[in-house]
Amino acid sequence: MDYLFVPVGGGGLISGMVIVFSLLSPNTKIIAVEPEGAPSMQAAIAAGKPVQLKEIDKFIDGAAVQKVGMLPFALCKNQLSDLITVPEGQVCAAILNLYNKDGIVAEPAGALAVAALEKYPDQIKGAKVGVLLCGGNNDITRTPEIKERALLFAQLKHYFIIRFPQRAGALKEFVNEILGPNDDITFFEFSKKSSKVNAPAVVGIELKDAADFEPLVMRMKSRNFYGEYLNDQPDLFE
């Protein structure tokens, strides 16, 4: 193989791959793949030794570790052709694609290396590529969260605080004149009346095309519905 993509958590799996391929296929480029929310090997290589990450995103639980092992670090630090990170949302999109297109059930860590292929489109074109797809321990109850993260990553799901005027017909106006023809409300939480003029609601909107986002925001602002955008504000978003 020209390339081999391997998921990385604590580092044991990729250490074994490095040892074997250095003996049997030394020209194979080994690409290590970590979750963006838990780049422990990347931090170790940058520091010259394993370091403890203060906070990690535990969503990709099979590969989310705060500190890689000393032996895996020693084996990998000079042997990897590349070390890349993949956003959790992109991994979720890969999970859904594997299931919908290929009938493969993959847990987040199992799909990690597959998701990384999108970062290497030019290099792997026409090459012989190996991808380690490992782990099918995916709880079906996680499917809504996986879909949500995939939509957020693809910029198709957006959450807002909408300031609804306290007058009859305001919601009807929002649905008919603010939303685009392909936009869909997927979440709506309205607070009790907080003033005589406006009252806020948290609204989740799913788009068919990411390009529809800017026109939607412009229509909200032009009609004075726009309050705050929540996707990029972690505290408010939760």
Side-chain angles (χ1 to χ4, degrees):
M1 288 181 285
D2 299 309
Y3 291 91
L4 178 65
F5 290 78
V6 185
V8 178
L13 176 62
I14 197 166
S15 297
M17 305 301 281
V18 164
I19 293 170
V20 170
F21 273 79
S22 65
L23 296 173
L24 302 182
S25 184
N27 292 325
T28 298
K29 293 181 174 63
I30 297 181
I31 313 299
V33 187
E34 288 188 296
E36 190 175 84
S40 53
M41 183 66 79
Q42 189 177 77
I45 290 177
K49 62 180 181 179
V51 294
Q52 185 89 4
L53 298 178
K54 293 181 179 180
E55 295 182 0
I56 60 172
D57 185 334
K58 296 181 180 180
F59 176 76
I60 304 180
D61 45 6
V65 300
Q66 289 182 278
K67 185 178 181 180
V68 296
M70 180 62 76
L71 183 56
F73 166 71
L75 290 167
C76 292
K77 62 180 180 179
N78 297 317
Q79 297 294 325
L80 302 177
S81 297
D82 198 3
L83 174 59
I84 60 177
T85 60
V86 178
E88 280 71 9
Q90 190 169 344
V91 175
C92 290
I95 292 171
L96 296 176
N97 283 334
L98 285 168
Y99 181 76
N100 292 328
K101 296 181 180 179
D102 303 302
I104 295 173
V105 176
E107 64 183 81
L112 185 57
V114 177
L117 294 177
E118 293 187 22
K119 293 201 168 189
Y120 258 71
D122 298 328
Q123 298 94 321
I124 65 176
K125 187 176 181 180
K128 294 179 181 178
V129 181
V131 182
L132 201 56
L133 180 80
C134 56
N137 186 26
N138 198 1
D139 188 343
I140 194 170
T141 61
R142 301 182 75 185
T143 302
E145 182 184 4
I146 291 170
K147 182 180 179 182
E148 176 87 350
R149 283 179 175 253
L151 288 170
L152 289 170
F153 174 76
Q155 298 184 340
L156 296 176
K157 189 76 169 284
H158 302 275
Y159 288 89
F160 302 88
I161 291 178
I162 304 298
R163 308 290 180 185
F164 279 97
Q166 291 296 285
R167 56 176 170 76
L171 178 58
K172 184 177 181 180
E173 178 187 347
F174 183 82
V175 172
N176 291 339
E177 300 183 31
I178 304 301
L179 294 184
N182 297 315
D183 301 342
D184 186 27
I185 293 178
T186 58
F187 182 87
F188 192 95
E189 184 175 297
F190 188 65
S191 70
K192 291 184 179 180
K193 185 176 179 181
S194 58
S195 71
K196 294 181 179 180
V197 181
N198 291 297
V202 178
V203 182
I205 299 175
E206 185 174 331
L207 310 177
K208 293 293 183 183
D209 191 317
D212 294 335
F213 174 71
E214 290 297 335
L216 172 65
V217 171
M218 290 177 64
R219 290 193 298 271
M220 286 184 191
K221 290 181 177 179
S222 68
R223 297 292 188 95
N224 296 319
F225 280 97
Y226 188 85
E228 291 186 72
Y229 181 59
L230 302 183
N231 285 38
D232 53 5
Q233 300 186 56
D235 292 338
L236 282 175
F237 184 79
E238 293 192 16

